[in-house]
Amino acid sequence: MCGIVGYVGPRRIVPVVLEGLRRLEYRGYDSAGIVYLQDGRLVKYRAAGKLSNLEAMVDEAIVAPSHIGLGHTRWATHGAPTTENAHPHSDCSGNLVVVHNGIIENYHSLREELLAKGHRFSSETDTEVLAHLIEEYLSGDDLVAAVRKALTRVEGSYALGVLWTGRPDTLIAVRNHSPLVLGVDDESGSFLASDIPALLPFTKQVIFLEDLELAVLTASSRTFYSLKTGVEIFRVVKTIEWNAAMAEKGGYRHFMLKEIFEQPQAIINTVSGRIDLETGVVELPEIHLSAEDLREIDRIFLVACGTSWHAALVAKYWIEHWVGIPVEVDIASEFRYRKLLINERVLTVAISQSGETADTLAGIRLAKKLGSKIITICNVVGSTMTREADGTVYTHAGPEIGVASTKAFTAQLAALFLFTLYLGEQKKAIGVEKRKELGQALIGIAAIIETELPRLQEEIKALVDSYYDCRDFLFIGRGLNFPIALEGALKLKEISYIHAEGYAAGELKHGPIALIDKEMPVLALVPRDAVYQKSISNVEEIKARQGRLILLGTQGDSHLQTITNDVLYLPQVHEEMNPILYTIPAQLLAYEIAVRRGCDVDQPRNLAKSVTVE
Ligand code: AGP
């Protein structure tokens, strides 16, 4: 996915666009570009690679102040990450430019048609087709009509910014299945951006465009239209509680480390105000499901990708144990292509930090068609999933900039545990006392993590020299901790590029144990829980084969030190809270190893923060 940004107003365009792109670089960083209008003509700079390459080109000293323009940071989907394929893309005249996030699925046939009409292309991208298509429909000065006509020909997803010399005071913003948010500048001016952090240095007043809506932006006005009908529509300005600092690193070396340490607050912000510890009553006002709706539910599908799928796996244990409703967990890209036995008695829960993951989005649309009620567990207000679901349980983790998800994950677990308590109350499956006990455990885990984080980071730093140059890594866990083994493996592989696999501990002897030798490090989660003895047996099997063990266990369990020297102790907490607590050392281990290996922790190679393409 890519990041787009635009501005028209009294501010100078170059600093605004470059600052916005800096805050969107986590969305993709294969190339970047900027365009602005100066003395009636478009001035464009584009550079392959990181944004810093573009910044080096744009020498403000030689730029007379311009006050309208667009910017783009790219995660390549069609065409290699080269300068020629970098956005903005122009039409033949060079008087119209577009920046785009999404995929034009029928771009090939459109390109052929336009070539036959004499258009000349300079890139391999799907996006360039949009510039020529708008040019094709441009007659007179009706830019809006030309954009609307062009987009009726387009199949696919887009968040689009358009600038034309024929309307030197106007930007056009359009969205369909890709995120796009508008900003209202206090000093009079209008912004467009793929995500909120790009706006935060300038304004907290935002407007969320819906799919198939078009906005006409000038320095002093914002007008909205239905893309299909052309009828004017109205959108309200919302105030974002995030400030620019929250989206900054806050003194930490990387966003990821900052976000690991923000987890206690993220959990508190997600839980607070939603559970009354006196009565055990859980309130989830945005869920928008009536007691009747919930009484009808006899099955739950949890759908997600990546780390969010790991959260779903933990939630399965919780919901089935405490609520007694069967839960199916699907990776979204599998869910949408298998035969789904879904009807109106099924509740589908989409879990997504971004709320824009294409496969998860497609999954809920399919489930909705089959009659399922939809709720989403999401971290981004106004994201597409939250507007298409029947209800939302927001994780109030704040902006998560590091590509590797950390605070959003533990906030998802907190939200899913709350959801479990809520369902248990609605289904009369969990009594008041038990809800109070579990609610207390959830509230309490944040303070425990806050206390343990500094010590764990120091102890893990001391381990890193022994493990940072490993070629492979296994993570094992049982029950509630099996998904955390998967999550620890994903964290390590996605930021350190070490091949890592998570396994159910009991599964080791069914094949993977063949991998064990004195070279193979294994991180085992062995809290004193209901399956402790079984987990210890698995650990002994590994030790017997000279495997290198790191054990995460319960403070006071001295037996663990008879097995290995590398033991990380964690406090005894309510067994249901182990998945949240044991995630922390797994995240820190991945982070410290990646740093020791000199990896780009916040922007790992080949990845993007939100995968809005299929
Ligand atoms: C997590 O560290 C990864 N970056 C990735 O697996 C991510 O969890 C996945 O792409 C799902 O994203 P979402 O939660 O925004 O839907």
Side-chain angles (χ1 to χ4, degrees), residues 452-493:
E452 299 300 323
L453 265 164
R455 171 185 65 85
L456 284 168
Q457 186 183 22
E458 287 315 306
E459 290 184 11
I460 285 165
K461 274 181 176 172
L463 283 179
V464 164
D465 279 349
S466 311
Y467 293 98
Y468 81 95
D469 56 356
C470 290
R471 237 176 0 92
D472 302 286
F473 233 106
L474 289 182
F475 289 71
I476 61 170
R478 273 181 182 267
L480 275 171
N481 301 301
F482 164 44
I484 307 309
L486 296 173
E487 174 60 10
L490 175 60
K491 287 283 106 37
L492 184 65
K493 73 182 113 182

Side-chain angles (χ1 to χ4, degrees), residues 74 104 113:
R74 183 171 182 243
I104 307 304
E113 177 189 324

